[in-house]
């Protein structure tokens, strides 16, 4: 009988890297499906998360991957200029980055803690950069079976001017994308 690999580290052990992955798992069988749920601090995200758990995720057989994207403004090209002109700028940027990292990890923990750990196989991934591209790339890397995202419900004009993460993902991700809003859910 082949030895089973050790389980991934618990969710509490999130690492501070550009792409952060942490897991908690209690099932020894491989997941039948990988469902990626993109989360942020919005009520739209919480609605999508709740809807997916009620209607899509099979707790006993699916792997849930929670992804969140940190703003990448800390990596602006003019940071070196600021560091020379203001020596305290580098320290302030590092402190801001650490604060953003703690906030994104706390967000993933808050969502993960809403899942009964004895029945869900869940991992959290913190990404950096443009949310549209970062999420699309991670879905491909994970070989996900479905992506669930929330929607702010922008009208056509605002969506055209501001851009929409969910709209981009529907057009660029190669797996089904479920877009959830408080009042309705759309599967593309």
């Amino acid at each position: 009988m082949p030895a089973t690999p050790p389980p991934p580290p618990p969710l509490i052990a999130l690492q501070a890297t550009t792409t952060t992955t942490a897991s908690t798992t209690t099932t020894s069988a491989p997941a039948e499906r990988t469902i990626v749920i993109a989360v942020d601090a919005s009520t739209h995200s919480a609605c999508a998360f709740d809807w997916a758990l009620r209607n899509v995720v099979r707790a006993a057989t699916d792997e849930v991957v929670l992804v969140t994207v940190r703003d990448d403004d800390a990596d602006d090209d003019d940071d070196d200029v600021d560091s020379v002109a203001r020596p305290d700028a580098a320290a302030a940027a590092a402190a801001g980055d650490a604060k953003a990292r703690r906030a994104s990890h706390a967000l993933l923990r808050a969502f993960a803690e809403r899942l009964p750990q004895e029945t869900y196989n869940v991992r959290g991934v913190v990404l950096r950069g443009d949310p549209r591209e970062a999420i699309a790339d991670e879905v491909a890397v994970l070989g996900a079976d479905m992506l669930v995202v929330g929607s702010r419900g922008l009208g056509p004009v605002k969506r055209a001017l501001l851009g929409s993460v969910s709209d981009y993902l529907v057009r660029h991700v190669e797996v089904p994308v479920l877009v959830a809003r408080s009042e309705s859910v759309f599967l593309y």
Side-chain angles (χ1 to χ4, degrees):
M1 176 179 221
T4 59
L11 186 62
I12 302 305
L14 289 170
Q15 304 166 9
T17 60
T18 300
T19 301
T20 304
T21 304
S23 303
T24 182
T25 182
T26 57
T27 59
S28 58
E32 289 180 12
R33 301 182 305 171
T34 299
I35 310 295
V36 175
I37 305 175
V39 296
D40 60 25
S42 72
T43 57
H44 305 290
S45 175
C47 175
F49 175 84
D50 292 339
W51 197 93
L53 293 182
R54 283 192 316 270
N55 298 288
V56 176
V57 175
R58 295 180 224 140
T61 59
D62 290 345
E63 175 185 34
V64 176
V65 180
L66 303 173
V67 298
T68 192
V69 182
R70 286 194 303 157
D71 190 9
D72 211 15
D73 286 342
D75 293 334
D76 288 341
D77 293 335
D78 60 348
D79 281 349
D80 293 334
V81 174
D82 285 346
S83 296
V84 172
R86 295 183 329 143
D88 62 330
D97 189 52
K99 182 178 179 181
R101 182 175 40 255
R102 284 190 304 272
S104 58
H105 291 193
L107 176 73
L108 288 178
R109 280 189 198 97
F111 276 98
E113 287 171 359
R114 295 169 62 182
L115 302 171
Q117 291 185 0
E118 64 277 358
T119 55
Y120 284 89
N121 178 1
V122 62
R123 288 196 275 164
V125 181
V126 175
L127 305 168
R128 292 187 68 173
D130 179 345
R132 296 169 295 191
E133 293 174 4
I135 294 169
D137 291 346
E138 189 67 16
V139 166
V141 166
L142 291 169
D145 296 292
M146 176 180 275
L147 170 64
V148 179
V149 295
S151 172
R152 294 180 295 172
L154 297 178
V157 174
K158 283 186 179 179
R159 186 170 49 246
L161 294 173
L162 300 174
S164 165
V165 173
S166 59
D167 189 54
Y168 178 91
L169 293 169
V170 164
R171 290 175 179 17
H172 292 88
V173 172
E174 295 187 14
V175 300
V177 178
L178 186 139
V179 181
R181 288 193 289 175
S182 300
E183 58 276 354
S184 57
V185 174
F186 304 97
L187 181 59
Y188 296 95

